Amino acid sequence: MADKAYDADERVRLKLQDKGCMAVIPPKKNRLTPADYDKDLYKDRCLIENFFAKLKQYRAIATRYDKTACNFLGAIYMASCVIWLI
């Protein structure tokens, strides 16, 4: 999944197709032959981006204060619960 800026056949779409991936990239308005994409899946992308934007509002997560991966994951769980409850 990517933004309209990545709507390039040679650089992005063909390389993904060679690897067996499905590109979920909306076509630009000036494209001569609009490419198909899954609109519902692209809408879900917005939810995920907004969640990460809210998660980065927590200073300890944005700057990664915790030294160990276990503690950092615990901080992410705690912040995610707070976001979910708000």
Side-chain angles (χ1 to χ4, degrees), residues 7-81:
D7 185 27
D9 286 333
E10 297 84 24
R11 289 179 296 199
V12 179
R13 290 187 183 272
L14 293 178
K15 288 183 180 182
L16 288 173
Q17 189 177 11
D18 290 343
K19 292 182 180 183
C21 299
M22 181 184 72
V24 182
I25 304 170
K28 289 184 176 182
K29 290 183 180 181
N30 63 352
R31 189 176 173 98
L32 298 176
T33 57
D36 293 331
Y37 70 102
D38 189 0
K39 292 181 182 181
D40 294 328
L41 192 58
Y42 189 74
K43 286 180 184 178
D44 292 342
R45 174 185 174 271
C46 180
L47 294 173
I48 295 168
E49 273 190 21
N50 290 341
F51 172 74
F52 278 107
K54 289 178 185 177
L55 193 60
K56 288 180 183 179
Q57 294 298 316
Y58 291 89
R59 185 175 180 191
I61 299 207
T63 56
R64 190 150 192 236
Y65 281 145
D66 298 315
K67 291 183 180 181
T68 63
C70 183
N71 290 345
F72 182 66
L73 184 61
I76 289 177
Y77 285 157
M78 187 173 75
S80 298
C81 290

